[in-house]
Structure formats: structure tokens, C-alpha cells
Amino acid sequence: MNKVGLLLDQLHRAETRLGAEFRRVAGREAADQEVYYVCRDLARQCDERAAAIRRLGTRYGRSIAAPSGPGPLRTALTELRRRASCLLGRQRISGLLLLRDLRALFLAAQAANVAWIAVGQLAQALKDGEMLTLVNGLHKENLTQIKWIKSKVREASPQALLT
Amino acid sequence: MTRPRSDDDRIADIWGPRTPYAAGERWPVRVDRFVPGLADEDVDRWVPSACVLCSNCCGMDIAVKDGRIAGVRGRAVDRINHGRLGPKGLYGWQANNSPDRLTRPLVRRRGRLVETDWDTAMNLVAERSRRALDRHGRLGLGFYNTGQLFLEEYYTLAVIARAGLGTPHLDGNTRLCTATAEWALVETFGSDGNPGSYTDIDTCDTLLLVGHNVAETQTVLWMRMLDRLRGPDRPRLVVIDPRLTPVAREADVHLAIRPGTNVMILNAILHELIARDRVDHEWVARHTVGFDALADVVRDHPPERAAEVCGVEAADIREAARIIGAGRRLVSTALQGVYQSHQATAAAVQINNINLIRGMIGRPGCTVFQMNGQPTAQNTRETGANGSLTAFLNFQNDEHVESLARHWNVRPIDIPHWWEPTHAMEIFRFCEQGSIRFLWVLCTNPAVSLPELHRIRSILDQKRLFLVVQDAFLTETAELADVVLPAAMWGEKTGTYTNADRTVHLSDKAVEPPGEARADLDILLDYARRMDLRDKDGAPLVKWSTPEEAFGHFAAVSRDRPCDYSGLSYAKLRDRDGISWPCNERFPDGRERLYTDGVFGTGADYCESFGHDLETGAANEPDEYRAHDPAGRAIIKAAHYKPPHEPVDEDYPLQLSTGRTVYHWHTRTKTGRAGQLQDAAPRVWVELNPDDARSLGVAEGDLVRVESRRGIVHGPARLTGIRPGAVFVPFHYGYWDRREAGPRTAANEVTRTEWDPVSKQPIFKVTAVRVVRVAGRRAPAPAPEAGRVPAAGAHTVEGRTP
């Protein structure tokens, strides 16, 4: 059984979920322009990482399917969510909702983090230098995303909870 | 030495007569003067001061006649201007004498602002502050200040807000103009503060100006550059700017890039410098970290790729890099074209990188200027009245916070330092969501100067928000206020301020403020008393009552920090014209140039910040920084180019940038009240490239509408040398002086709400718009004639009835 492929599959799933989570939060936090734009950028980073994982999968004989794009219903929902969040963004509750979203993002990002750690170890054990360089670079990007989420949590918590 | 004196008209002849000089020579003196109707001997008193209408802070004397300001003249001995003044400096003082100055406090009664006395107004301010504190806590209050107060006022405000009320919500409109300068310096050098001196212009052999229309934004600095450019050993000049500015017309190479492509063009130049090995490897190895990562990133940015993205010729990029690589004394500068674009900090840092890999910092003629916009922007950064901690202290460094707490005699936990202080755009966001209920705006006009004005007006106009505005005039923002506090202006109060090359000036009170208007410092001290702000031992928190005492307190806090004022005093500043910080025992006369030993402010125990990821703004963790302590080496940070978040498309095919004209300052609160300046540029205009105009059917002077997804602005078209696809609208034109209702003219009606993730500076230079012709030409476009750059191949549309 191709355990390398299984692990890559798992990592791919984690990155795909994280990307979807960034998109979802961007939509829900459209009134907070920084969260909105950064989350959209970070979602794209996740897409690119997922694509890199698929290419790695091919090398190890595992064909990983690319996630399907959003259907028309999902696209309409996303737009609806964006508009709703712009209205909700004028309510004080929006601070708490942001914290909840950041928590969900953090968990999704950590799931990817753990998977990257495992894949990095694997690359070393396999003595696959090319894979190791690739994994190190992409894992670092994932860690920077986590750093960003932590920055936002630190910044947003007092305002959301005390006012 | 001859001293040419110039009483010339600084409207028609903006930069005045040339006084060319060669590298290493002293810039000749030329004294500019405007004291209408009075000879020098008719003046009662001359009071030494410095101009407050750009970040140059030219030394000037205020002429006083019969208790009023009667004019100004440049100070020949001043190191900044050697006697010169620009149009705003020469004429702008007349605003002080304007008949519509605010002279009494105003409060809102039944929807209208009515006059009242100070006691009533200040009691109301204090009462509503306490109510916000009781109901919403200390995070329910916010302060939004300016780049035009004095150091003493900023410092007092920082102590009141941070230690007294304990709110992190204190920032300035400097967020709109110099936040990126600050953060670009911090990210690379570990601490704020421009490394160089204006005398570096006197000795350089190469100039690189990026998004810096110095001819209009800092006219006197441009006079200095122009005198070198007309001198016997002309420096080479490379200009990066989408517009054919007066600066670009002097350039050896002008790269008229698409707006929003700064990182791409700078990476391509770095690519060329590295590919052609114009790198000082030994210096880089000894004094920097991060070169290899930079080389990796710029490898993907060859001139051909940049040419395509930026819309310029690859050969021109190569030629620009060749000039920069051949220079032996390189001065690079940046301003709003960089700071107000997306990827602002990432781009500004690449300019630092150019000088770093050339090993050209800390020597005469070799430096980077991350320019400031406003005259006292440097002081709001030093004192912590913007989004940083006082005296460039690091909020993530416990020892720093403890030292600040000792100075203020409060507990460290009383100073909010759980995260970076709140930036202006976030303060307005908190007002929007209703978590800030009390907002005090000091000497700035967000109702015209912030992006996406319909949103800003809707925030300021909320009933649940108590709005205090402190200003000299009834601005568009003041009209929305619940309380308006009449403030004294420059010349009517005493204090110090520091320019873009760290030169500190003292400006003494020359005349009394009109009516009951009060110095900003006195208003703040009054507030601290009414709020009964105390230190941890129960003594008054604010322990000073005069500007000089406030200065002394700040000087003590700043000791041993990069912005060390401990060797400065009012007496010393009165004795000598303009002294640079740091000024202390080691540098009693001030230090003209930082980093002369190649040691930067990046040490983990010393630095102002542990830095950020340039792409997301994620803050570095203290442990992470300490583990790789650069320990005095400059940090080279690389960045990949990213396209703007709102690209042009079929609906909105043009890119709008907003900016200044030479005759005006911000929302014209002052310059609009100086006749010469207002007449020189009375109304808004829309700059278009002639080819774009032709395809839109627009001729010079036609009324057009600029539309974005957020709003509409109207103005007559002016055809200029701006690059195709780009549109420019000056942002000065709000509504305070409009006699009748009409279409919107403030450029920020159409701009959008987005900011750089590191510096948090809003993006004014990249907005997708379309331009629609509304009506034929009524009159020539009211744009300044003197500053006009005629378009190459300008044309008019034939067959149109005027």
C-alpha cells in the first residue's frame, strides 16, 4: 500500500479545507477589509500549495483529484454571505464573530501544519532532497499563515470581549 | 558670499532663481521673503520659527506687526533651506489672520452647533469621556490626531491616552502619509529615523526618486536638487512615476510605470544590480542579513517580465539599473507613490535594499530617504501619538514597557501593550461597528481625507458616536461634531518639531491666538485635569504645564533611544538653528548621519519592533527574532510582486491615483484661505492622458465624471503627460468653501478602503475607475498653469462646440 500517497492525500485534504476556510471567512468578514483581502490572498496560497502536493503525489504514484470549483449555488451563497457580513459589520457582535472565525481558521491551519511536519519527516527518511526543499518552503508559508491568524487574534480579542 | 534675495512671485516661478553648485560645495544662500507692504525696519519683531506646510520644515522668521503676523522670510543660516521658502511657506501664514477662524467653543444643541464657553465645552467632553469609560470601558474611546501638532502636544496626548485612559486607540492622520516611511525604516534598520542628512544631496552623484514628486511636495528640497542638476557636475537622475512630473522631466531615465507595480520595477532593478554584480559583497556580508533570499526572489523578476507588467521598456529598466549601479554616491528617496500603493512597505523596503546591496548608507552622499509627508509626522512617531510606543520603544519587549512605566510612574500593565496600538483605519472600523463611542479628532479632517467618503461620513454622523473636533476652522469634519474646540495655530503657540532628516526646530509663540482659541497643549492639559488622571501614587499623571516642561519630560524618556533628545533644550534650540537627533553627551551638537559605523538598530534588546511578514503583516514572535538576532546588521527583506486587489476590468478600465498639487496642503484648511494659493488652484481637475481622452471623446476643459465602485467625483479634464490608462485627481477639494450645492469634488469619494498589511497605510494610488464626459468645455481647466507639464503631442478634439 502506498503510504506516502496516503499521507500526501491527507495533507492535500488539509490544505484544501484550509483554503475553503479562508474563503469562507473572507466572505463572512467582508466589512473588515484587512481580514477580507488577506484571507483571499491566503486562500490562493492554499490553492497553490494543494497543486504542488498533487504534483508530488504524481511522482509517488498517487493521483490526487483537484477539488471541484464552486457551483453556481455556492457562488451565489458566497455573495449573499459577503453582503450580509457588510450589514452585520456595523453591529458590535461583529467583533465576537471575527474571533470565532479566527478560531476556526487556526484549527484548520494547525491541521495542515501537523500534516506538513509528517511529510517533512518523511521526505528526510526517503532521502528525497528535492521533496524536502519543496516541503520546507511550503510548510514555512503555512506557518506564516498561522502567525497571521495569531496576530489577528491578539489584536481583536480585547476589543471584541471588553466593549 | 553674495546673498541673492528674491521677492519674486512664488506662484508663477515656483522654485525661484537657480543658484547652481558643485558636489561638496555649500548650497548657496537665497533669502525668500513675503511681508506685504512692509520693509524690514517697519516690522515690530521677527520671531524664529520653521515652516509647517511640508516635512522639510524650512527655517523661517515670522514678521510681527501690531500683534499680528505680517509675513515671513526664510532664515539664511538654517541648514534645511539656506533662506529659501516655497509657495506654501511664503503665503500660507495668511490663514492665521483669516476672518473665519474659530474663536469660541461650539456644542451641538438641538442639532445645531452653537457657541459656548470653555467650561461648558470641556465639562461636556469630560462627562462624555467618563460615560464612555463607564459603559464601554477604556476601549470605547479613541483619538485621531494629525501630522501638524508640536512634539510637546503629541507627547502629552500619548501620556493621556495610553497611561491615563489606557486606550490603545490613538493614531494620527500620519497613517495616511508616513506610516510606510516609519515601517520601512523599522523593518530594515530595526528602528525609525532616516539615516541621512539633506547635505547628502550636496555630495551625491546619483539620485533615485520613486513615487516622489518632490518638485510639488517638498519644493525647497527640489530647489536643492535642481541647483545640483544645474551645477557643473550634475548628478544622474532616475525617476519612477506614472506621471510626467517636473521631476521626471529632469530625469536621465523616467520609468512611467503602471500604478501599482512598484515592487515589480524595483525587483527588476535589484535583479539587474545582482546579475551585473554591482553588489558590495564585503559590506553586505558584514552589515546585513538576508541577501541570499533577496537574490532568490529577484531572480524571477528579470527586466523583460517587469517591462510587461509595468508597461515600460526593458531597455529603460536596464539603463536605470546601469546608472544606479555606476553611481558612487547614491541618494534614493520615496514618497506617496510608494506609500499609498498596494504592497507599500514591501516596495519601500526594496528601495532600502538597493542602497544596502550597493553598500551606500551612512556615508556622505549615500543614503535612503523614506520621506515624510507632514511637517511634524516625525514627532508623532517619536512620542507614540501614532501607532507605536513612545520613544521608539518596543511593545513586545517587557523591559522597554517597564522603563516607560517608570518614567510615567504607572504600572506596566496600565499601558496597553498587549498588541500594536490601533491604527487609524481600525479605529474608524471600531467606530463603525459601535465598539468605540467617543472619538476625539485633533487638527485633521477625515471627512475629506480618508478613503471612501460616504462610509466615513456615515461613521462620523452616527448618533451613538460622540465626536469632539479640535481645529482652527470649521472643517467638514467639525460640522459633524458634538463639540468643537477652537485651537491656536502655528505662530500662536510654542513648541518643537522635527523634519524628515531629523532636524529639530523650536517655534516660539509670535502672536496671541484669536478670541478664546487655545493652544492644543493647554486644551489637553485642561482635559487631563478635568478627568483627574493620576499616576500610581495618586499624583497628577501629567506633571507639566508648559511646552518647555513637556519637552524636558519627553527628552528624559528618549534618553538612550535612537531618537535621543536628552542633549537638547529650548535654550540650545534658540541658540542654534535646527539640530538633528540623536543629541546627547556623545553628540552634543546632534548627529547628522546615522549608521556611520554600519551598526543598525536591529539588536533584539534595542530594536523598535521584531518586524513583520511583508505579505500578510503577521508579526514576528519575540523568541523567533531573538533566535536569529541580527544584532546590529540591517535586515534585507525580499518580496514577490502581487497585482492589486482591484485590477482594472471592462467596467472600470482606468487606474486612479490621487495626490497633491504644489499650491495646496491636505484639505486646504489653511492654503485655501491664502489668496495667492487658492487663486492658483481654486478647483478640482482630472488629469488624463491625451490618447485616453481621445478615445473617450474628451477635450481639455470638458467636464467629466470619474466613477468607481464606491462613488463619483466631477471635474474638468486636463490633458497631461500622465501615462496611458492612468488618471490623477488632487485630493484637496472638499466642500467647506462651496457657496452652493453641486456635484461631489473630493477625490476620496471614489477611493476604496484597503490598507497595506504592514504599515496599515490606506491605498490611494490604485483605484479602478471609468471616466465619462458630462459636458463640453466651459472654461480652461482650473489646474495650476505654472506647475503644468504640457503633454507631449497634446491635442484637442476637433469639431466640438465649446
Side-chain angles (χ1 to χ4, degrees):
Chain A
M1 193 174 161
N2 184 351
K3 287 188 183 164
V4 180
L6 268 182
L7 191 59
L8 289 175
D9 217 14
Q10 210 176 57
L11 175 63
H12 185 262
R13 227 171 12 247
E15 282 292 353
T16 310
R17 275 190 196 146
L18 178 58
E21 195 62 31
F22 273 123
R23 282 209 174 78
R24 195 179 65 85
V25 173
R28 289 169 57 102
E29 298 295 338
D32 188 319
Q33 282 78 7
E34 183 167 324
V35 173
Y36 177 69
Y37 286 117
V38 172
C39 281
R40 288 193 341 170
D41 285 353
L42 297 188
R44 265 193 296 276
Q45 281 187 357
C46 293
D47 296 346
E48 284 162 21
R49 288 206 295 270
I53 297 162
R54 289 197 294 278
R55 286 192 295 275
L56 208 53
T58 314
R59 265 182 52 199
Y60 279 93
R62 177 90 178 186
S63 150
I64 306 173
S68 52
L73 186 65
R74 176 63 63 84
T75 309
L77 263 175
T78 304
E79 179 57 20
L80 201 63
R81 188 186 287 145
R82 195 188 64 78
R83 289 189 184 198
S85 84
C86 284
L87 290 174
L88 199 63
R90 297 186 79 98
Q91 308 295 322
R92 271 158 78 194
I93 188 81
S94 58
L96 284 174
L97 296 178
L98 172 62
L99 273 189
R100 193 190 61 184
D101 282 339
L102 290 171
R103 181 177 174 278
L105 267 182
F106 186 76
L107 295 177
Q110 288 295 13
N113 178 14
V114 170
W116 280 114
I117 292 172
V119 172
Q121 296 300 92
L122 185 69
Q124 298 205 46
L126 289 168
K127 298 188 187 175
D128 185 340
E130 197 186 325
M131 177 174 171
L132 185 62
T133 310
L134 179 78
V135 168
N136 281 344
L138 297 178
H139 188 197
K140 202 172 153 204
E141 206 179 74
N142 164 250
L143 290 173
T144 301
Q145 294 184 342
I146 292 174
K147 217 156 73 173
W148 178 79
I149 299 166
K150 290 199 312 199
S151 293
K152 282 314 284 186
V153 170
R154 286 181 175 134
E155 179 191 304
S157 305
Q159 194 72 19
L161 299 168
L162 280 185
T163 56
Chain B
M1 189 200 290
T2 56
R3 287 191 172 187
R5 199 171 106 166
S6 139
D7 281 345
D8 291 341
D9 176 2
R10 218 34 97 246
I11 297 294
D13 182 11
I14 297 170
W15 305 289
R18 295 277 56 77
T19 51
Y21 68 123
E25 288 178 8
R26 199 179 144 75
W27 188 27
V29 165
R30 182 193 94 196
V31 174
D32 293 330
R33 177 187 185 281
F34 178 60
V35 191
L38 294 181
D40 276 5
E41 53 274 19
D42 300 329
V43 170
D44 294 342
R45 277 184 307 132
W46 292 95
V47 181
S49 178
C51 182
V52 284
L53 286 162
C54 89
S55 61
N56 237 33
C57 300
C58 295
M60 59 159 62
D61 291 321
I62 301 173
V64 179
K65 178 73 176 172
D66 301 327
R68 279 164 70 88
I69 297 179
V72 293
R73 71 175 177 205
R75 287 173 68 80
V77 294
D78 196 273
R79 64 182 299 269
I80 301 304
N81 53 326
H82 296 210
R84 290 161 188 78
L85 294 174
K88 288 191 283 279
L90 213 51
Y91 304 117
W93 58 269
Q94 297 167 101
N96 281 57
N97 297 335
S98 177
D100 62 345
R101 285 286 300 274
L102 289 171
T103 55
R104 295 198 69 200
L106 308 173
V107 293
R108 192 166 294 280
R109 297 257 187 266
R110 284 186 218 93
R112 286 185 48 238
L113 285 171
V114 295
E115 289 195 352
T116 187
D117 56 72
W118 273 102
D119 235 18
T120 308
M122 289 307 290
N123 278 339
L124 184 59
V125 171
E127 181 205 316
R128 296 302 297 250
S129 302
R130 274 192 291 268
R131 188 191 292 185
L133 278 170
D134 290 346
R135 294 189 185 169
H136 307 283
R138 54 185 176 150
L139 303 184
L141 291 86
F143 294 80
Y144 181 55
N145 69 93
T146 172
Q148 292 165 76
L149 289 176
F150 293 169
L151 176 145
E152 295 77 0
E153 294 159 345
Y154 288 129
Y155 178 62
T156 305
L157 177 60
V159 175
I160 288 173
R162 303 222 190 280
L165 303 170
T167 177
H169 306 329
L170 164 62
D171 197 12
N173 68 11
T174 45
R175 190 62 64 178
L176 319 184
C177 76
T178 54
T180 304
E182 173 183 13
W183 285 100
L185 294 166
V186 171
E187 297 292 334
T188 302
F189 306 121
S191 173
D192 192 358
N194 267 310
S197 157
Y198 279 172
T199 60
D200 290 327
I201 307 295
D202 306 346
T203 47
C204 71
D205 67 8
T206 309
L207 284 160
L208 165 64
L209 271 60
V210 189
H212 182 201
N213 183 11
V214 57
E216 295 201 63
T217 56
Q218 292 158 300
T219 48
V220 174
L221 184 61
W222 177 237
M223 295 173 200
R224 197 169 193 149
M225 292 179 182
L226 212 43
D227 283 344
R228 278 299 315 283
L229 292 167
R230 295 281 185 278
D233 48 2
R234 179 185 182 282
R236 321 246 59 205
L237 173 63
V238 175
V239 173
I240 301 178
D241 199 311
R243 298 167 72 205
L244 184 60
T245 61
V247 182
R249 286 210 294 175
E250 296 286 331
D252 296 81
V253 177
H254 171 209
L255 298 169
I257 58 168
R258 279 195 187 100
T261 60
N262 291 320
V263 167
M264 179 56 82
I265 196 82
L266 292 163
N267 276 353
I269 288 171
L270 284 161
H271 174 280
E272 282 300 286
L273 292 173
I274 293 172
R276 310 208 172 273
D277 202 24
R278 304 305 300 163
V279 177
D280 186 338
H281 291 285
E282 199 188 322
W283 195 90
V284 166
R286 196 175 308 149
H287 299 294
T288 70
V289 295
F291 175 77
D292 291 344
L294 177 75
D296 268 354
V297 167
V298 302
R299 200 167 293 131
D300 303 340
H301 296 72
E304 283 70 22
R305 182 179 169 211
E308 202 166 299
V309 170
C310 305
V312 295
E313 296 293 326
D316 289 342
I317 301 175
R318 287 216 166 77
E319 177 60 7
R322 194 195 60 74
I323 291 172
I324 294 164
R328 288 189 299 178
R329 293 182 305 279
L330 169 68
V331 171
S332 306
T333 73
L335 198 65
Q336 308 309 354
V338 177
Y339 303 163
Q340 294 179 342
S341 288
H342 80 300
Q343 291 201 286
T345 311
V349 158
Q350 301 320 313
I351 300 167
N352 295 342
N353 290 345
I354 288 175
N355 276 67
L356 283 175
I357 70 170
R358 299 281 298 129
M360 291 187 183
I361 280 197
R363 288 185 281 127
C366 301
T367 200
V368 168
F369 276 106
Q370 299 290 347
M371 282 297 174
N372 298 349
Q374 297 180 77
T376 73
Q378 192 66 48
N379 303 109
T380 181
R381 282 144 60 178
E382 293 157 10
T383 57
N386 69 339
S388 57
L389 219 50
T390 302
F392 299 167
L393 291 163
N394 184 346
F395 79 98
Q396 285 177 300
N397 182 326
D398 289 343
E399 280 174 34
H400 282 194
V401 178
E402 279 161 25
S403 112
L404 188 60
R406 268 196 306 281
H407 275 285
W408 292 350
N409 197 36
V410 297
R411 299 169 305 166
I413 205 165
D414 294 327
I415 302 170
H417 66 282
W418 54 79
W419 200 241
E420 289 170 5
T422 318
H423 61 90
M425 300 304 288
E426 193 78 352
I427 289 176
F428 280 85
R429 168 81 190 114
F430 290 154
C431 293
E432 180 181 39
Q433 70 172 201
S435 66
I436 288 181
R437 296 300 182 102
F438 174 98
L439 181 69
W440 189 334
V441 175
L442 297 91
C443 310
T444 183
N445 193 9
V448 179
S449 57
L450 282 179
E452 212 176 335
L453 286 181
H454 74 92
R455 170 175 178 262
I456 297 302
R457 279 189 296 262
S458 80
I459 292 171
L460 292 174
D461 214 16
Q462 294 174 98
K463 267 217 163 65
R464 63 183 176 182
L465 181 73
F466 191 81
L467 180 65
V468 180
V469 173
Q470 177 170 330
D471 210 303
F473 295 98
L474 194 68
T475 61
E476 291 86 340
T477 306
E479 283 177 14
L480 301 170
D482 296 290
V483 176
V484 180
L485 304 172
M489 292 173 73
W490 159 92
E492 300 162 358
K493 57 183 189 175
T494 294
T496 54
Y497 34 101
T498 306
N499 81 342
D501 87 338
R502 295 173 286 105
T503 301
V504 187
H505 283 102
L506 172 68
S507 177
D508 267 312
K509 178 175 175 175
V511 299
E512 290 297 327
E516 297 175 23
R518 285 185 186 173
D520 296 280
L521 180 64
D522 292 333
I523 298 173
L524 294 170
L525 293 172
D526 182 346
Y527 177 69
R529 275 193 303 274
R530 281 177 212 263
M531 292 299 288
D532 196 28
L533 303 177
R534 302 272 165 178
D535 66 14
K536 69 177 181 189
D537 297 323
L541 173 71
V542 181
K543 300 176 198 327
W544 48 91
S545 54
T546 66
E548 189 163 5
E549 289 166 10
F551 184 87
H553 276 265
F554 173 73
V557 177
S558 73
R559 181 183 289 277
D560 297 329
R561 293 302 297 157
C563 54
D564 193 338
Y565 277 69
S566 61
L568 282 172
S569 65
Y570 274 24
K572 202 167 182 173
L573 287 165
R574 283 202 179 97
D575 200 45
R576 276 192 41 194
D577 246 70
I579 303 174
S580 318
W581 61 248
C583 178
N584 48 25
E585 285 88 0
R586 193 170 153 219
F587 303 104
D589 297 321
R591 189 180 188 187
E592 191 180 22
R593 211 165 272 110
L594 305 180
Y595 313 136
T596 50
D597 48 4
V599 177
F600 298 91
T602 55
D605 295 324
Y606 184 74
C607 66
E608 181 177 353
S609 163
F610 297 129
H612 300 80
D613 173 55
L614 292 183
E615 189 169 341
T616 60
N620 291 327
E621 305 279 344
D623 291 348
E624 180 187 358
Y625 191 90
R626 286 179 189 283
H628 306 98
D629 189 351
R633 291 195 284 176
I635 305 167
I636 293 178
K637 290 193 175 180
H640 287 277
Y641 164 75
K642 285 183 358 188
H645 281 129
E646 192 183 87
V648 294
D649 56 23
E650 278 178 15
D651 291 337
Y652 298 95
L654 300 169
Q655 241 164 359
L656 170 77
S657 64
T658 69
R660 287 185 188 143
T661 172
V662 68
Y663 301 116
H664 282 305
W665 182 249
H666 286 194
T667 60
R668 294 179 303 123
T669 311
K670 287 184 275 195
T671 53
R673 289 173 168 94
Q676 295 87 344
L677 299 173
Q678 176 63 11
D679 293 346
R683 283 185 303 281
V684 71
W685 69 92
V686 176
E687 278 186 35
L688 293 171
N689 176 277
D691 291 340
D692 291 334
R694 187 182 297 123
S695 62
L696 293 163
V698 170
E700 168 82 27
D702 283 358
L703 186 64
V704 298
R705 207 163 62 214
V706 180
E707 302 177 351
S708 77
R709 291 185 175 85
R710 284 132 200 109
I712 294 176
V713 60
H714 287 76
R718 154 144 296 192
L719 310 191
T720 69
I722 194 169
R723 68 159 289 132
V727 182
F728 175 85
V729 179
F731 72 91
H732 309 292
Y733 297 94
Y735 309 104
W736 60 266
D737 56 343
R738 268 234 296 242
R739 288 185 194 87
E740 58 210 44
R744 298 273 182 203
T745 53
N748 281 314
E749 303 290 350
V750 296
T751 51
R752 58 207 199 84
T753 306
E754 189 194 346
W755 53 85
D756 180 64
V758 179
S759 70
K760 320 292 186 190
Q761 185 154 350
I763 296 170
F764 293 103
K765 301 289 191 194
V766 201
T767 305
V769 296
R770 61 178 167 232
V771 172
V772 181
R773 183 176 175 275
V774 176
R777 172 186 164 119
R778 288 180 199 156
E785 277 304 316
R788 184 179 181 195
V789 180
H795 76 291
T796 51
V797 176
E798 299 296 330
R800 197 174 290 296
T801 41

